[in-house]
Amino acid sequence: MKLSTSLRFAISAWLLLLVILVMPAGHPALAQDNKAWTEIRSELYGDDRTIHDGSGLLEIEAPDRAQDAALVPISIKSMIGPDDERYIKSLTIVIDENPAPVAGTFHFSRANGIADIATRVRVNAYSTIRAIAEMDDGQLYMAETFVKASGGCAAPATKNNAQAMARLGDMRMRQIGEWEVDQPAEVQLMISHPNFSGLQTDQVTQLWIPSHYVNDLAVSIDGQEILTFEGDISISENPSFNFFVMPQGEGELTARATDTKGNVFEHSWPLRMGSAS
Amino acid sequence: MATGPVSCNDPLMAAHLHRWPPISSFDGMIGQAVRGGESTRRQFVCRSAMLALLSSCCPSSSAALARQSDLPFQEIEDGIHVRYGLQEAMTADNHGAIANIGFIIGDESVAVVDTGTTYAQGESLMAAVRHVTDKPVSHVIATHVHLDHCFGHGAFEDAAPVFIGHHRLPGALSERGDFYLEQIKTLSLDGAETRVVQPGFLVDDAAEIDVGGRKLLLKAWPAAHTDNDLTVFDTRTGLLWAGDLLFVDRIPIVDGSINGWIDVLDELMPGDVSQVMPGHGALGSGREAIEQQKAYLVSLRDGVRAAIADGLDMTEAVAELADLAGPNWLLRDEGHGRNIIAAYAELEWE
Ligand SMILES: [Zn+2]
């Protein structure tokens, strides 16, 4: 069979078009990432604010592959030099491909000493995870990493809803490492909460009720607020947060959490100096 | 029902395929002291052999080849038919057909236990039922929320059976359903009609259904493999369909509660149970498999507790316990790390 030149041209043009169309599909995550991020960025910061490359100032760590989509440990380390007068005012975590991409925002004060954070998030799909720091002078810096989704039956969902509900609002506070006056010291704060991301039926009314999660957290020491957090359903069941404080001696740490049903949970713990477990 | 698989289900084919996978190959695996690789290859050879068989005598072999979800059903006990899932990870190649699914025939009707990962697998199950009986499907039971177990339910909606699940299944399906459907899309070309089917009858603690002279006892368990595990006990044969409360040879996945699961294993097998059908792996007496699974879960719990006591964080615990001694599970790499994470998140609250 012979093809006319024009037909042949038409076919090769089509092939070329096909190649162009198919090419980005080879990197679907990347292509989607950019689109998702463009929208999220615009919503969070508008289109005219510059976001600087955060390398050297900010580092985000997450496993290459999420072992369990429901519990992906991530940590963000700040590396502000001793000569830098600025401090990180807030840190926002974004998981591009999640249904609610903004996992949450931490607001710091100088009383944190170091603006490091560790928590656990749900990751729905192959996704870029970003940490965007806003300095006290208003400048924005971003660090990012890429997490491959877990396979199998893992799902970004609750594992033991009943248990989390049975001790709903229970909190734990752990002092980590050596605690000295005026030296940055690490705290782990845990809240028992399903952070339920689906719909469930109300046992009494039989109506579907929406997601139920911790959306607000405030931490203070001796009445002075040092850290607040606004969160969403991308934070794992039984939310856990590691952060730093600058202890001024023995004192009392108070955490106050609220959830989307308006429940308020508040706990206080004494802070001890010296070697903690 | 699509054309290809139906022709593969004619009586002659059923006779050829009756005992696949051969019980002996599973027996061989139980004794094997290897990690994943070798046994998985052996399984693959079995599967290839079966597909070769299909292609040599089945007129629409290409359709069968394209749809490896059409693994054969076999009658493993009086009126109990099973399609053994492949002991592989879920892939586009195997359409996620990795779990054991099947049905139990009474004097009046049929109860289906799990329907697989896709609508097409549910259709195959329905065809397998129709191949051996004209009795109506009265009940479709989900042993738990996982996508390899109850996402073929849609194929039974026209038959209007009672869909049965654990009382926490609706919440779990609403939380995970869309996510699993997305995964199924990438797993399977025949996933288009796959949908979430919510149970119409919920089991709070225990329930009994009757399929005609054959009572099936259903039990809803506290959080263990998941927080919505349901088992089916056939009073006629003494067979317990354990779902994923029991994994045979393949690494058990903790997606509910490690403490809960260890406790449930002590109660799973009352004296009247004669055989246990696991969610993955071969039918057996259950006792040895339960002991093996429990030993792993206990050593995992001990290891994670020690890591927490030593001040290791979650990531450090995963590294520390990567080589935890234990059974040489198939697909160990797929499950061990995530089990450490799940156990850690639970046990740090003790
Ligand atoms: Zn399962």
Side-chain angles (χ1 to χ4, degrees), chain A residues 153, chain B residues 144 146 148-149 225 244 247 280:
Chain A
C153 54
Chain B
H144 64 294
H146 282 156
D148 47 333
H149 289 263
H225 168 61
D244 280 2
F247 282 66
H280 301 268

Side-chain angles (χ1 to χ4, degrees), chain A residues 67 71 73 120 124 152-162 167 170 172 188 190-192 196-199 238, chain B residues 90 146-147 168 171 174-176 179-180 183 223 227 255-257 314-315 318 337-338 341 344-345 348-350:
Chain A
Q67 307 235 30
L71 283 157
R120 298 144 195 181
N124 278 54
C153 54
T158 47
K159 291 194 192 303
N160 196 348
N161 210 329
R167 44 163 212 236
D170 202 357
R172 298 274 177 90
Q188 183 188 9
M190 298 152 59
I191 307 162
S192 185
F196 184 76
S197 58
L199 294 163
N238 300 326
Chain B
M90 282 193 271
H146 282 156
L147 74 165
R168 279 193 291 267
S174 93
E175 212 185 356
R176 296 169 183 238
F179 176 77
Y180 282 158
Q183 273 198 309
D227 72 358
D255 202 17
S257 161
M314 193 178 262
T315 307
V318 171
R338 64 171 290 195
I341 288 172
Y344 189 107
E348 71 183 336
W349 277 93
E350 287 186 327

Side-chain angles (χ1 to χ4, degrees), chain B residues 37-304:
Chain B
E38 193 182 323
S39 298
T40 309
R41 266 199 301 283
R42 190 196 277 241
Q43 276 287 304
F44 180 71
V45 171
C46 286
R47 187 160 60 101
S48 304
M50 184 204 70
L51 290 168
L53 185 65
L54 280 173
S55 57
S56 64
C57 54
C58 180
S60 49
S61 59
S62 61
L65 277 167
R67 295 176 52 163
Q68 297 180 8
S69 52
D70 291 312
L71 297 167
F73 283 79
Q74 53 183 283
E75 186 170 10
I76 46 112
E77 257 295 344
D78 172 30
I80 305 182
H81 297 250
V82 174
R83 180 214 76 184
Y84 281 112
L86 300 165
Q87 295 279 56
E88 300 174 357
M90 282 193 271
T91 63
D93 195 36
N94 63 32
H95 293 200
I98 62 164
N100 298 341
I101 62 176
F103 54 95
I104 301 171
I105 306 171
D107 295 339
E108 306 291 334
S109 66
V110 178
V112 168
V113 186
D114 283 347
T115 53
T117 314
T118 61
Y119 187 92
Q121 285 173 42
E123 278 186 317
S124 299
L125 205 167
M126 189 64 181
V129 170
R130 282 294 153 259
H131 183 69
V132 293
T133 180
D134 293 331
K135 293 168 188 165
V137 173
S138 53
H139 304 83
V140 174
I141 301 161
T143 61
H144 64 294
V145 69
H146 282 156
L147 74 165
D148 47 333
H149 289 263
C150 64
F151 278 69
H153 273 34
F156 291 86
E157 280 185 309
D158 286 347
V162 180
F163 290 98
I164 302 175
H166 189 289
H167 65 96
R168 279 193 291 267
L169 182 64
L173 277 171
S174 93
E175 212 185 356
R176 296 169 183 238
D178 288 347
F179 176 77
Y180 282 158
L181 290 177
E182 273 302 309
Q183 273 198 309
I184 290 164
K185 259 194 231 164
T186 66
L187 275 176
S188 177
L189 298 169
D190 58 21
E193 291 180 89
T194 303
R195 52 186 175 258
V196 172
V197 177
Q198 285 285 1
F201 181 82
L202 303 181
V203 182
D204 279 334
D205 173 37
E208 185 182 296
I209 60 174
D210 195 340
V211 283
R214 188 166 203 162
K215 286 194 166 65
L216 305 177
L217 309 182
L218 312 179
K219 180 155 176 55
W221 296 87
H225 168 61
T226 64
D227 72 358
N228 51 86
D229 301 312
L230 186 76
T231 56
V232 181
F233 178 68
D234 172 38
T235 54
R236 185 180 286 181
T237 61
L239 181 140
L240 174 73
W241 199 303
D244 280 2
L245 286 175
L246 184 64
F247 282 66
V248 172
D249 298 337
R250 180 184 185 118
I251 189 163
I253 301 292
V254 182
D255 202 17
S257 161
I258 188 168
N259 279 333
W261 204 352
I262 290 168
D263 292 345
V264 162
L265 287 178
D266 287 336
E267 296 171 48
L268 192 58
M269 289 268 291
D272 48 357
V273 172
S274 63
Q275 307 181 79
V276 182
M277 175 54 68
H280 301 268
L283 177 71
S285 79
R287 298 182 197 283
E288 204 181 314
I290 285 174
E291 281 314 308
Q292 187 180 42
Q293 181 171 286
K294 188 176 164 188
Y296 168 70
L297 294 175
V298 168
S299 79
L300 178 69
R301 177 169 68 179
D302 292 348
V304 171

